[in-house]
């Protein structure tokens, strides 16, 4: 898939918190493709609400980005 790889920190029915190595601009439309352990993928669309510096080290800079989902996600169904 094109795009950047992110680390999913938290997920709810209305949003996600993801960690990236680049700052995502506020109001940027995004598509998250969540890879499940079983190999399935779940795709959700949303928009960046905020992006803030999370950590700095000699090798990397990381940002935490809050994503508001356009449509509610059934998180319980993902865990089945």
């Amino acid at each position: 898939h094109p795009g950047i790889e992110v680390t999913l920190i938290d997920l709810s029915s209305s949003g996600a918190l993801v960690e990236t190595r680049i700052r995502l601009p506020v109001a940027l439309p995004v598509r998250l493709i969540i890879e499940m352990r079983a190999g399935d993928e779940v795709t959700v669309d949303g928009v960046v609400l905020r992006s803030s510096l999370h950590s700095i080290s000699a090798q990397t800079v990381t940002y935490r980005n809050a994503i508001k989902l356009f449509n509610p996600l059934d998180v319980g169904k993902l865990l089945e």
Side-chain angles (χ1 to χ4, degrees), residues 51-77:
S51 181
S52 59
L53 181 63
H54 177 66
S55 67
I56 301 175
S57 72
Q59 294 80 24
T60 61
V61 174
T62 59
Y63 295 86
R64 290 269 171 107
N65 306 275
I67 311 295
K68 175 164 179 34
L69 303 181
F70 291 141
N71 297 304
L73 179 66
D74 187 351
V75 178
K77 192 169 187 171

Side-chain angles (χ1 to χ4, degrees), residues 21-49:
R21 293 193 178 177
I22 62 170
R23 184 182 171 282
L24 299 179
V26 171
L28 178 73
V30 295
R31 172 165 285 161
L32 298 176
I33 302 170
I34 303 167
E35 296 177 1
M36 307 302 291
R37 287 191 179 126
D40 298 335
E41 292 181 343
V42 175
T43 302
V44 293
D45 295 318
V47 64
V48 176
L49 290 182

Side-chain angles (χ1 to χ4, degrees), residues 2-31:
I4 62 169
E5 187 168 319
V6 304
T7 301
L8 182 63
I9 303 298
D10 195 13
L11 182 65
S12 72
S13 62
S14 61
L17 182 65
V18 298
E19 193 169 273
T20 60
R21 293 193 178 177
I22 62 170
R23 184 182 171 282
L24 299 179
V26 171
L28 178 73
V30 295
R31 172 165 285 161

